[in-house]
Amino acid sequence: QVQFVESGGGSVESGGSLRLSCAVSMGTLDDYDIGWFRQAPGKEREGVACMSSRDGYPQYGDSVKGRFTISRDNAKKTWYLAISELEPEDSAVYYCTADRGNPQRCTFYLSFGMSLWGKGIPVTVSS
């Protein structure tokens, strides 16, 4: 069973930045597409970022383009989500996710989710 260790969340002031990390225990991360989702209280789950294993191409949800950056380190079996210019609307529980095998990759995953999920890490942005 894949274990996720998420870190980097917490409370931050509006306009600030932070970086979330997700480390996994699995044989290899190389052939997994990886992503981040978030869910705020009373709101639908939202796909915010995804990165393909094939070419490392990142895709982002429309609401976060320009402020969120996803990256990965396959050797460390870890991926990251850097967030800048944080807004109170970014407050949510953030989940790291992974999947493989869908031919549409991130285009599919951002809309419909991924099969492997971390437990989530809260981010609170104060105004």
Side-chain angles (χ1 to χ4, degrees):
Q1 186 174 358
V2 178
Q3 300 292 322
F4 291 75
V5 178
E6 297 156 303
S7 61
S11 297
V12 63
E13 292 186 354
S14 181
S17 60
L18 54 74
R19 189 177 77 158
L20 306 179
S21 300
C22 181
V24 294
S25 62
M26 59 171 59
T28 178
L29 186 62
D30 293 10
D31 55 350
Y32 279 83
D33 303 317
I34 50 91
W36 291 91
F37 287 71
R38 69 181 181 184
Q39 188 164 22
K43 293 189 176 181
E44 296 287 321
R45 182 188 69 192
E46 176 186 18
V48 297
C50 180
M51 178 173 276
S52 168
S53 64
R54 181 176 58 191
D55 53 15
Y57 182 75
Q59 290 182 238
Y60 298 96
D62 290 338
S63 66
V64 304
K65 285 182 180 177
R67 298 190 298 117
F68 286 40
T69 303
I70 188 171
S71 60
R72 64 192 293 164
D73 185 334
N74 287 347
K76 294 182 178 179
K77 301 177 188 178
T78 301
W79 60 102
Y80 309 92
L81 183 68
I83 312 173
S84 62
E85 302 175 27
L86 279 154
E87 304 167 352
E89 293 71 24
D90 294 320
S91 298
V93 176
Y94 285 74
Y95 300 88
C96 59
T97 58
D99 208 332
R100 61 181 177 177
N102 190 292
Q104 297 183 33
R105 295 179 178 263
C106 289
T107 300
F108 177 89
Y109 298 137
L110 283 175
S111 295
F112 299 105
M114 305 177 89
S115 61
L116 301 177
W117 290 74
K119 293 182 179 180
I121 186 167
V123 171
T124 303
V125 184
S126 58
S127 57

